[in-house]
Amino acid sequence: THTEISPEQFDKSIQKLLATRIAVYLMTFLIVTVAWAAHTRLFQVVGKIDDTLALLNLACMMTITFLPFTFSLMVTFPEVPLGIFLFCMCVITIGAVQALIVVYAFHFPHLLNPQIESSTHRALYRQHILHILGIVLRGPALCFVAAGFSLFFYPLSYLLMATVIFLPYVSKVSSWCKGRLVGPQEPPAHSMEFFTFDLHEPLSKERVEAFSDGVYAIVATLLILD
């Protein structure tokens, strides 16, 4: 929102306030994009939707729409634990709902991507579930710790929340380092077809375009309203 500031008022305290607003905005927006990327990965695994999955997805969307309120609390009162705590609880809830979607989809394999559904190797099947849950829950797990620290040492909470943004890149770097140290490992012959579906492959072009169109539409609407 716009704030009326005269040139005489533009001192260090105002600069600090604006810097805080921008920093919190960047952090929260990037955390939302991490949640979106996890959501996209999730629906690369889910091939079909039933009523229960639709409701779970709506619950996820409802929680995401609550994030701007928690963002405004953090911007207005950056040193008050309530805004940080509510934001972290939203991210935790989003992760929990996404985990429910994973568990529900694997409980009814006909809802899964055909490459996963056709797998006859149950050990690899379970490994795939754990891998997806790891992608979905690693951000919420950090936010759970951040929510605890917000009650008595809020700067560490902000640091932990900012760490969520870099988790995908940390994972890529660790995989690269492991590959350099251990060398490439050939998967078992019976698992080749199963692992042709790679969660680390590029995101769906259509999903990225849809997200981009939505952001541009929102920005254009705000500019028109202003």
Side-chain angles (χ1 to χ4, degrees):
T1 55
H2 296 283
T3 305
E4 294 293 334
I5 303 173
S6 63
E8 302 81 44
Q9 293 177 309
F10 200 77
D11 55 13
K12 288 186 178 180
S13 62
I14 297 296
Q15 293 179 42
K16 182 180 178 181
L17 174 63
L18 294 178
T20 301
R21 285 175 177 267
I22 293 170
V24 173
Y25 164 73
L26 288 174
M27 182 188 69
T28 51
F29 182 85
L30 291 172
I31 289 176
V32 169
T33 62
V34 170
W36 169 78
H39 191 266
T40 305
R41 300 286 188 199
L42 176 57
F43 280 92
Q44 286 177 274
V45 175
V46 176
K48 299 175 183 176
I49 302 289
D50 64 3
D51 289 342
T52 302
L53 277 182
L55 287 172
L56 287 172
N57 192 53
L58 285 173
C60 186
M61 296 300 100
M62 183 181 68
T63 310
I64 287 172
T65 58
F66 191 70
L67 285 175
F69 173 70
T70 62
F71 160 72
S72 66
L73 279 178
M74 283 196 292
V75 165
T76 309
F77 310 104
E79 299 179 4
V80 176
L82 180 61
I84 303 171
F85 185 81
L86 287 178
F87 182 85
C88 290
M89 293 310 297
C90 279
V91 176
I92 293 166
T93 304
I94 292 166
V97 175
Q98 289 180 337
L100 277 176
I101 291 174
V102 172
V103 173
Y104 180 82
F106 274 91
H107 187 67
F108 298 99
H110 68 277
L111 299 173
L112 295 173
N113 182 289
Q115 292 186 27
I116 301 175
E117 182 188 358
S118 61
S119 174
T120 57
H121 306 290
R122 308 313 295 176
L124 294 174
Y125 198 74
R126 289 191 294 272
Q127 182 182 351
H128 213 84
I129 297 175
L130 294 175
H131 183 59
I132 300 163
L133 287 175
I135 290 174
V136 167
L137 292 176
R138 57 191 179 186
L142 270 178
C143 283
F144 180 81
V145 180
F149 277 108
S150 70
L151 301 176
F152 55 90
F153 190 61
Y154 71 88
L156 186 56
S157 296
Y158 283 112
L159 179 62
L160 288 169
M161 287 191 293
T163 305
V164 174
I165 300 164
F166 301 101
L167 279 177
Y169 306 101
V170 170
S171 177
K172 287 179 183 293
V173 169
S174 63
S175 298
W176 181 83
C177 292
K178 182 179 178 181
R180 298 286 291 180
L181 291 172
V182 180
Q185 293 182 325
E186 292 292 331
H190 64 268
S191 66
M192 288 296 287
E193 183 180 354
F194 177 72
F195 279 102
T196 56
F197 182 78
D198 185 7
L199 282 176
H200 294 291
E201 67 185 3
L203 290 173
S204 162
K205 177 176 177 289
E206 290 75 18
R207 291 291 301 269
V208 173
E209 287 178 339
F211 183 81
S212 304
D213 290 344
V215 171
Y216 280 118
I218 291 168
V219 171
T221 303
L222 291 173
L223 289 173
I224 292 167
L225 292 174
D226 278 347

